[in-house]
Amino acid sequence: MRAYNKTLIKALLWLGISFSCTQALGAADAPSEALSADVPNPPVVTIATGDWQPYVDSNMPDFGPMGMVIRTAFARAGYDVVFSVYPWTRNAQFVANGERDAMMPYYCSDERAVQFLCSDPIVAGEQVFFYRANMPFDWEKVDDLKDYTIGATLGYFYGQPFEDAERDGRLSVKRVADDHANLRLLMRGFIDLYPQDRAVGYGMVRAVLPKEDWSKIVHHPRPLHSKSLHVLFSRATGQGEALREIFNRELSAMRDSGELDTLLEPIYADQQAVRGGKPETPQ
């Protein structure tokens, strides 16, 4: 019995020492936890987008040149940026109801300017008609397009004259959800014309078609429309105006320093690879 008591006493002493050590270690850890809690996480800007190479590429760490411009601008103001990729029509829904702070890259049409808050222009865009090189094609006005089958993409804006002619039934337009599908339809002869941003069109040719087919797709030099690309901020979040002001301020500084041109330069690499020479830059 005495031996049992001695064993019990030793066990209790060991537990007491272990508990004290644990408490001491916990106390030692407490200051570092308190210190980390005092370091605030940077505010986050949530941006809805879609793959639209070479402007936006979700396979790249910074989501391509446009993503890099936006990350850089907000980082200078102390913000993180989180991109989410959705179909283009879903992007507008999420931003309109305040589930995302902004979407990019978009043209700032009159209708969109009412629903969203448009940033200053980031880069000039130029929408042109792509067609098969073996098909004679020329045009000057929208009515010249009435005898062609045109492939378009859901959620895209092609300029008011085109939109009006499509709505009135003066053009034969087939809209699908996927850009790459339109290029394949064009290549196979199911559509005659495919309106697309010039840089994006050549990016798709390079990504989708085998190299021996690159020369089979060309673009008409007359632009369907020339419009700049923007970030469109939500009016529903309560912070859209402030975020737009921050972005515009930092974008202006980047433009003045020349950094903006450097970040956007990769946009034109695909056309150069497909057609050779130095591509003209939209004004």
Side-chain angles (χ1 to χ4, degrees):
M1 185 71 176
R2 186 174 299 173
Y4 172 79
N5 288 339
K6 287 183 178 180
T7 301
L8 179 61
I9 292 170
K10 288 181 179 179
L12 290 173
L13 286 173
W14 182 86
L15 286 173
I17 293 170
S18 297
F19 179 77
S20 299
C21 290
T22 302
Q23 289 294 94
L25 288 171
D29 286 342
S32 62
E33 291 176 0
L35 181 61
S36 63
D38 290 339
V39 179
N41 292 323
V44 174
V45 182
T46 56
I47 297 183
T49 187
D51 278 306
W52 205 45
Q53 294 90 351
Y55 294 100
V56 182
D57 188 344
S58 63
N59 293 316
M60 299 178 67
D62 290 302
F63 271 68
M66 288 283 284
M68 185 62 181
V69 168
I70 292 166
R71 281 193 192 278
T72 301
F74 277 115
R76 291 183 172 191
Y79 286 79
D80 277 347
V81 172
V82 173
F83 293 108
S84 301
V85 177
Y86 303 106
W88 297 104
T89 51
R90 294 286 300 280
N91 287 339
Q93 295 171 7
F94 286 138
V95 177
N97 64 25
E99 291 183 58
R100 296 293 183 272
D101 291 312
M103 60 187 186
M104 71 88 181
Y106 280 79
Y107 301 117
C108 186
S109 64
D110 292 342
E111 181 180 350
R112 286 173 180 166
V114 171
Q115 191 172 13
F116 306 103
L117 299 164
C118 299
S119 74
D120 288 344
I122 301 173
V123 61
E126 184 178 77
Q127 231 170 30
V128 297
F129 283 110
F130 286 86
Y131 63 100
R132 295 180 301 281
N134 62 0
M135 185 191 80
F137 171 65
D138 194 15
W139 78 288
E140 290 187 4
K141 56 186 183 298
V142 169
D143 286 341
D144 296 335
L145 307 172
K146 65 183 185 322
D147 295 327
Y148 297 94
T149 301
I150 304 170
T153 305
L154 291 169
Y156 280 24
F157 176 77
Y158 295 98
Q160 206 57 55
F162 183 97
E163 301 286 330
D164 291 344
E166 178 187 5
R167 184 189 63 241
D168 297 342
R170 289 184 284 121
L171 295 179
S172 175
V173 180
K174 297 180 178 180
R175 293 210 181 220
V176 299
D178 181 64
D179 282 329
H180 290 184
N182 265 322
L183 182 62
R184 294 188 179 98
L185 291 171
L186 178 64
M187 188 68 192
R188 295 171 184 171
F190 292 107
I191 59 175
D192 301 313
L193 305 173
Y194 173 39
Q196 180 59 274
D197 178 275
R198 179 159 53 85
V200 173
Y202 280 107
M204 290 169 56
V205 167
R206 191 179 183 187
V208 174
L209 302 182
K211 191 170 184 178
E212 59 267 25
D213 288 342
W214 289 0
S215 62
K216 297 178 182 179
I217 301 295
V218 295
H219 79 278
H220 193 281
R222 180 183 298 280
L224 178 58
H225 74 74
S226 299
K227 290 183 179 294
S228 54
L229 295 171
H230 305 249
V231 178
L232 272 55
F233 292 92
S234 176
R235 293 182 180 273
T237 62
Q239 60 178 356
E241 288 278 10
L243 291 176
R244 178 173 66 166
E245 182 179 346
I246 290 168
F247 178 74
N248 286 345
R249 182 189 69 220
E250 300 301 335
L251 183 69
S252 178
M254 292 165 65
R255 181 176 284 111
D256 291 344
S257 70
E259 184 178 8
L260 181 61
D261 288 340
T262 300
L263 293 176
L264 293 175
E265 189 174 348
I267 288 171
Y268 308 103
D270 290 315
Q271 183 178 345
Q272 187 171 359
V274 172
R275 297 294 299 274
K278 186 175 182 180
E280 66 274 17
T281 302
Q283 301 299 319

